[in-house]
Amino acid sequence: MFCIVLTYSYLCTQMKLSVIIPIYRVEATLDRCVESVVGQSFSDMEIILVDDGSPDGCPAMCDEWAAKDSRIRVIHKANGGLSYARNAGLDVAKGAFVTFVDSDDYLERDTYAQVMAQAEGNDITEFPLFRHYGSKWQQEIRFGSHVYESAEDYWLRGRAYEHCYAWNKVYRRELFDGVRFPKGKVFEDVFTLPRLLDNAHKIATVDCGMYYYCYNGQGITASAQAEQLGMLLKAHEEVMKRWCDDRYYMHVVNIQIDVCDQTAKQPTPTLPHRYVNPMANGLTTAQRLKALAINTLGIERTCNLNKMLHRWKTPNRS
């Protein structure tokens, strides 16, 4: 059960964009996030703040923002996690399109105006991001301007599996009919994007706008351990049953190796063996070497070899 604080007067005409912002324990970054959305030059939108039972001052901050901007409405609900919060926003979203913002991130000012100018006719429109912004690992990622009329082409040639993030994309809202983020799982974006692609006929990447994905050393991605990486592996294994090439396979193999490196478990048997051309386009040098090992030794022995080498490089000094 959750309650919706309606500080919003519905218009007779449908607004263009619904922006869903899940909120939990982000007092330090919430104002920056919301300010970056309300300050967008694009204004034909509703902003849905989902207070996921935050035990700090965030609930009151959300209500204060709603009192200042009539486009904002607030959902207060018991804590259920990121997927539950996003789903609560989707359940009430009224826009023709929908997008997400994580509450410790923010947007460049004219992002939505530029992206929405190109979104009409697309089912999904993806725009650039700064990954791990504010850290020594920060990386600007641009995709160029491309149109994909095949989900498989977008996933493989566009390497969507490397940037499944929910928040640097604008979606036609109907894509979420019958689709919600999975509860109780981390890396929920990787589970969800392929299901959305099943309903999408036209996916575009644009070279305008910018999403600042700020580094959080306590976040799931930064601190992912074996159990969480196992969920990520499972998500990719399901997609591989439909779409796979050598480059994607090696991407998933790297996840499998990381899982095995952190646990005593052997590789899951659902990851099938595949002969990989070591000279396939797009492979890194490390992936080419791993491909040779897999072709010769198989996945299980390659994982065990990697674990042995890793322990040799980082001996226990206790």
Side-chain angles (χ1 to χ4, degrees):
M1 295 291 293
F2 59 84
C3 66
I4 303 174
V5 178
L6 290 177
T7 56
Y8 182 92
S9 298
Y10 283 102
L11 302 177
C12 293
T13 56
Q14 182 184 48
M15 76 287 297
K16 198 72 171 178
L17 180 66
S18 295
V19 182
I20 299 172
I21 308 177
I23 293 162
Y24 186 77
R25 289 185 181 271
V26 285
E27 284 181 319
T29 60
L30 179 57
D31 284 340
R32 180 186 67 184
C33 173
V34 179
E35 177 62 44
S36 78
V37 177
V38 300
Q40 291 288 308
S41 53
F42 182 85
S43 60
D44 187 12
M45 61 181 174
E46 62 173 354
I47 303 164
I48 304 170
L49 305 183
V50 185
D51 161 34
D52 189 34
S54 191
D56 53 10
C58 287
M61 294 171 70
C62 290
D63 292 339
E64 290 170 5
W65 271 108
K68 290 189 291 186
D69 194 312
S70 63
R71 297 171 299 172
I72 295 176
R73 52 178 163 154
V74 181
I75 298 174
H76 294 292
K77 55 176 286 298
N79 179 251
L82 179 59
S83 288
Y84 190 15
R86 285 177 177 167
N87 292 343
L90 285 169
D91 289 343
V92 301
K94 302 297 182 182
F97 293 86
V98 65
T99 191
F100 304 90
V101 183
D102 282 358
S103 47
D104 46 4
D105 300 336
Y106 65 99
L107 294 152
E108 198 169 83
R109 176 175 172 77
D110 293 321
T111 293
Y112 288 154
Q114 297 177 71
V115 174
M116 292 303 295
Q118 301 187 56
E120 197 66 46
N122 302 329
D123 293 304
I124 299 175
T125 306
E126 182 173 30
F127 55 94
L129 66 121
F130 240 116
R131 182 161 57 191
H132 301 316
Y133 188 72
S135 77
K136 63 181 179 181
W137 303 285
Q138 71 178 27
Q139 177 187 17
E140 184 178 12
I141 301 177
R142 293 185 176 274
F143 312 102
S145 297
H146 301 285
V147 174
Y148 303 89
E149 296 187 350
S150 158
E152 181 178 11
D153 195 29
Y154 172 62
W155 189 260
L156 297 178
R157 185 168 65 87
R159 298 168 76 170
Y161 52 84
E162 294 183 348
H163 41 92
C164 289
Y165 314 115
W167 29 252
N168 71 319
K169 301 171 182 67
V170 169
Y171 312 84
R172 193 170 298 279
R173 185 167 57 86
E174 286 79 3
L175 290 184
F176 285 95
D177 290 348
V179 177
R180 289 294 185 267
F181 291 94
K183 299 175 185 178
K185 296 184 183 296
V186 296
F187 297 107
E188 63 289 324
D189 300 346
V190 185
F191 285 90
T192 307
L193 181 58
R195 295 187 63 199
L196 298 174
L197 291 175
D198 285 340
N199 299 326
H201 301 289
K202 187 176 179 183
I203 306 107
T205 59
V206 297
D207 199 26
C208 57
M210 182 61 68
Y211 185 100
Y212 290 91
Y213 168 26
C214 298
Y215 180 74
N216 178 359
Q218 303 302 314
I220 292 171
T221 303
S223 59
Q225 299 299 317
E227 182 179 358
Q228 289 78 16
L229 287 172
M231 293 183 188
L232 177 63
L233 178 63
K234 180 64 175 178
H236 281 296
E237 286 174 345
E238 289 300 313
V239 181
M240 285 175 59
K241 294 175 183 177
R242 295 184 290 164
W243 311 320
C244 194
D245 61 10
D246 286 345
R247 187 164 55 180
Y248 179 40
Y249 184 80
M250 291 308 302
H251 175 83
V252 180
V253 164
N254 280 341
I255 300 170
Q256 176 69 89
I257 287 175
D258 287 342
V259 171
C260 293
D261 194 44
Q262 295 189 34
T263 70
K265 296 178 180 178
Q266 296 300 316
T268 54
T270 51
L271 183 61
H273 180 271
R274 173 190 175 103
Y275 174 82
V276 179
N277 177 7
M279 301 309 295
N281 289 335
L283 295 185
T284 65
T285 300
Q287 287 176 327
R288 296 185 195 282
L289 293 174
K290 289 174 184 175
L292 287 170
I294 289 170
N295 292 343
T296 304
L297 303 174
I299 295 174
E300 181 176 341
R301 290 179 178 175
T302 299
C303 287
N304 289 336
L305 176 62
N306 182 82
K307 181 182 288 190
M308 182 180 66
L309 292 173
H310 185 262
R311 288 178 176 174
W312 178 72
K313 289 180 180 179
T314 56
N316 188 344
R317 299 182 183 275
S318 58

